[in-house]
């Protein structure tokens, strides 16, 4: 008898988007003429930048000739891309990294989900609440979390509430935890954290021999000067933090697939005897065994993000989405809805009016103005009473959505 990994049976996951789809389908069925606008899902809508397309074409042609054809590449990624990442994303911020500290991957979802494999099953976990689901689910599959309780919390996870009450700033846990997932600018709340606050986490991690798993997938959307782009801007963070980045949102790579993970050689885990062991070595071993690298063609596409033309085009994309964010935020505020985020991230996190719960507001928005968003409670218990709208729609649809909310929503 082949027994299954029963940890999978503890997964919650698919409920949120399945339930959204079910409610939308049922509404459509009853109102076939309604023109529904979706501001729910976190996917981009604009095509890849021209510089990326050009580079992809060039790489395809290289694959057509024996002299330039490439087979298996380095699992860690090609140096042509890694070097650009160092030169553009880190060196200008005063962060020194070596080529072998960066691992090119097929995206931050895989890496934030897989990274837990290099830690012991009895490591304890802290996540901010609400949270991007991939961090938790990888740990559930590995059997690190226990079962979920009636409040929607896994027994063995420490949840760190991030709500309007604490200005969305995560407070250090009272107990000692080992693996700490942080994401800034945050999905789903769109909020950021200051250097001073991040410094507290780096100090906590040092003191407790913990590791911070820092998801910076939205760093390119940061508009304000004093917001940190990388956790390595904090002194000493290279000893305690792994950082995840992605080309998905910044350059439209959600369907093309490329990201990277930084594992500095200084960052350590510990054996049961208490001896320090470099996580870089473990992640390298994990990737070379289970991953065969991102396609050469795709890495050439990502490289083009760092050309002069690529940088301009990517900035234009970000400006486009952030103008949507501004419009959504101002539109909601103008009718008295309290919003958060939307300034350094393409997400607007709103407080549902009149104390409505997240799903009640979902239904109200769908039935009254035919707009689909995401109920905050779907991202964790502390998301109850909040709702997420994304700025990734096209301009016209976003404008129409805001007009409808302003003029037709019955508040
Ligand atoms: C979209 C997103 C990512 C990026 O995922 P990819 O797998 O690189 O497409 C990572 N983290 C968060 C929080 C996200 O919202």
């Amino acid at each position: 008898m082949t027994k299954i990994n029963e940890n999978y049976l503890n997964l919650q996951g698919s409920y949120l988007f399945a339930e959204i789809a079910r409610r939308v389908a049922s509404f459509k069925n009853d109102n076939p003429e309604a023109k529904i606008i979706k501001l729910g899902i976190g996917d981009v809508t604009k095509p890849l930048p021209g510089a990326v397309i050009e580079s992809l074409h060039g790489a395809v042609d290289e694959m057509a000739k024996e002299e330039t054809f490439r087979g298996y590449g380095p699992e860690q990624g090609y140096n042509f891309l890694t070097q650009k990442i160092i030169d553009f994303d880190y060196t200008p911020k005063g962060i020194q990294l070596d080529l072998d500290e960066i691992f090119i991957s097929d995206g931050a979802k895989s890496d934030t989900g897989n990274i837990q494999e290099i830690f012991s099953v009895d490591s304890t976990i802290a996540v901010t609440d609400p949270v991007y689901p991939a961090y938790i689910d990888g740990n559930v599959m590995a059997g690190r979390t226990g079962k979920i309780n009636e409040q929607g919390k896994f027994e063995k996870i420490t949840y760190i509430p991030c709500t309007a009450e604490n200005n969305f700033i995560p407070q250090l846990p009272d107990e000692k935890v080992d693996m700490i997932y942080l994401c800034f600018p945050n999905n789903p709340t769109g909020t950021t954290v200051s250097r001073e606050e991040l410094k507290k986490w780096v100090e906590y991690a040092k003191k407790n021999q913990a590791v911070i798993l820092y998801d910076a997938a939205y760093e390119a959307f940061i508009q304000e000067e004093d917001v940190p782009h990388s956790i390595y801007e904090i002194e000493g963070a290279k000893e305690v933090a792994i950082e995840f980045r992605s080309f998905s949102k910044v350059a439209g790579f959600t369907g093309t697939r490329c990201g990277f993970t930084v594992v500095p050689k200084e960052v350590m885990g510990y054996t049961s005897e208490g001896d320090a062991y470099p996580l870089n070595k473990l992640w390298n071993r994990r990737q070379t065994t289970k991953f065969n690298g991102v396609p050469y063609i795709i890495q050439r596409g990502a490289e083009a993000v760092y050309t002069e033309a690529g940088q301009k085009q990517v900035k234009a994309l970000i400006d486009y989405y952030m103008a949507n964010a501004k419009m959504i935020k101002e539109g909601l505020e103008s009718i008295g809805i309290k919003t958060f985020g939307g300034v350094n991230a393409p997400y607007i996190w709103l407080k549902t009016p009149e104390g409505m719960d997240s799903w009640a507001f979902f239904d109200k928005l769908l039935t009254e103005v035919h707009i689909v968003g995401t109920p905050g409670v779907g991202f964790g218990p502390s998301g109850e009473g909040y709702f997420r709208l994304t700025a990734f729609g096209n301009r016209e649809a976003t404008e129409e959505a805001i007009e409808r909310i302003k003029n037709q929503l019955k508040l």
Side-chain angles (χ1 to χ4, degrees):
M1 183 171 59
T2 311
K3 289 193 183 157
I4 59 163
N5 177 351
E6 289 192 27
N7 295 323
Y8 277 61
L9 306 183
N10 293 327
L11 288 165
Q12 302 300 303
S14 63
Y15 169 78
L16 174 64
F17 289 101
E19 180 61 16
I20 290 174
R22 193 189 68 73
R23 292 191 191 204
V24 173
S26 147
F27 177 78
K28 256 190 183 155
N29 190 49
D30 300 342
N31 304 272
E33 75 299 338
K35 192 172 155 245
I36 293 174
I37 299 177
K38 292 187 177 169
L39 297 181
I41 214 151
D43 196 0
V44 298
T45 51
K46 292 274 138 194
L48 291 167
V52 171
I53 293 294
E54 205 178 304
S55 189
L56 289 170
H57 278 299
V60 169
D61 289 339
E62 284 183 64
M63 294 302 254
K65 290 187 272 255
E66 196 163 334
E67 311 82 70
T68 48
F69 168 80
R70 312 265 184 146
Y72 287 123
E75 290 93 342
Q76 302 87 344
Y78 285 100
N79 284 349
F80 63 77
L81 178 56
T82 310
Q83 191 64 55
K84 292 268 169 29
I85 290 167
I86 292 174
D87 294 348
F88 280 76
D89 292 337
Y90 291 102
T91 311
K93 299 228 152 12
I95 299 160
Q96 305 302 318
L97 290 171
D98 293 336
L99 287 166
D100 57 359
E101 294 178 303
I102 294 183
F103 297 83
I104 308 295
S105 74
D106 67 346
K109 178 176 162 185
S110 325
D111 285 5
T112 53
N114 291 330
I115 196 76
Q116 45 80 25
E117 286 184 25
I118 65 171
F119 300 103
S120 144
V121 224
D122 47 31
S123 298
T124 52
I125 305 156
V127 297
T128 56
D129 171 24
V131 68
Y132 180 66
Y135 314 150
I136 292 186
D137 289 353
N139 283 297
V140 174
M141 292 170 174
R144 216 176 265 115
T145 61
K147 290 202 166 30
I148 200 158
N149 65 21
E150 314 80 67
Q151 292 118 49
K153 293 184 177 181
F154 284 97
E155 291 161 350
K156 294 202 258 174
I157 293 185
T158 298
Y159 290 81
I160 300 167
C162 291
T163 61
E165 282 69 43
N166 60 21
N167 243 326
F168 302 92
I169 295 164
Q171 304 300 302
L172 297 175
D174 299 328
E175 64 272 37
K176 188 173 158 354
V177 294
D178 302 316
M179 301 154 63
I180 301 156
Y181 290 86
L182 295 178
C183 172
F184 291 106
N186 190 262
N187 176 15
T189 68
T191 57
T192 56
V193 73
S194 69
R195 285 195 183 79
E196 290 63 45
E197 290 298 330
L198 262 191
K199 197 162 164 248
K200 292 182 192 167
W201 284 93
V202 169
E203 279 160 12
Y204 173 94
K206 277 192 176 172
K207 193 170 124 222
N208 294 292
Q209 297 177 312
V211 174
I212 298 170
L213 304 162
Y214 195 76
D215 185 345
Y218 294 95
E219 67 78 29
F221 290 84
I222 293 171
Q223 310 285 312
E224 292 177 321
E225 280 297 319
D226 54 348
V227 177
H229 286 245
S230 164
I231 191 163
Y232 305 122
E233 291 177 39
I234 312 303
E235 205 190 317
K238 273 167 85 177
E239 292 159 48
V240 291
I242 290 174
E243 180 163 291
F244 305 90
R245 292 220 187 166
S246 172
F247 293 98
S248 283
K249 314 297 163 47
V250 42
F253 271 63
T254 51
T256 307
R257 311 306 309 148
C258 195
F260 60 91
T261 292
V262 183
V263 190
K265 279 175 273 192
E266 294 100 308
V267 60
M268 296 291 160
Y270 297 85
T271 66
S272 40
E273 271 76 51
D275 298 324
Y277 196 91
L279 297 180
N280 179 287
K281 268 195 178 177
L282 292 180
W283 186 243
N284 187 52
R285 185 59 215 243
R286 193 270 170 205
Q287 288 299 79
T288 51
T289 302
K290 293 197 180 181
F291 183 62
N292 241 334
V294 175
Y296 172 73
I297 296 166
I298 304 300
Q299 291 190 62
R300 281 295 185 199
E303 184 193 21
V305 165
Y306 298 104
T307 58
E308 206 183 316
Q311 291 281 286
K312 264 204 204 118
Q313 291 160 3
V314 160
K315 185 172 180 303
L317 277 178
I318 292 169
D319 289 348
Y320 180 93
Y321 293 130
M322 291 314 288
N324 284 350
K326 187 163 187 275
M327 191 165 64
I328 296 171
K329 195 172 171 73
E330 289 176 355
L332 293 169
E333 296 275 350
S334 78
I335 54 164
I337 293 177
K338 182 80 192 123
T339 68
F340 307 94
V343 176
N344 296 299
Y347 295 111
I348 289 86
W349 188 244
L350 63 95
K351 186 91 194 83
T352 55
E354 289 146 33
M356 242 180 266
D357 71 39
S358 296
W359 279 109
F361 189 71
F362 175 92
D363 289 334
K364 183 178 173 65
L365 214 55
L366 177 61
T367 55
E368 288 181 14
V369 291
H370 312 162
I371 291 165
V372 181
T374 313
V377 69
F379 298 101
S382 295
E384 182 58 282
Y386 293 90
F387 198 80
R388 191 190 75 175
L389 292 175
T390 88
F392 285 130
N394 73 44
R395 178 65 40 81
E396 296 68 33
T398 306
E399 267 165 3
E400 189 178 336
I402 291 307
E403 282 313 307
R404 285 190 206 166
I405 290 175
K406 276 163 66 172
N407 301 322
Q408 295 163 37
L409 194 67
K410 299 185 196 83
L411 290 173

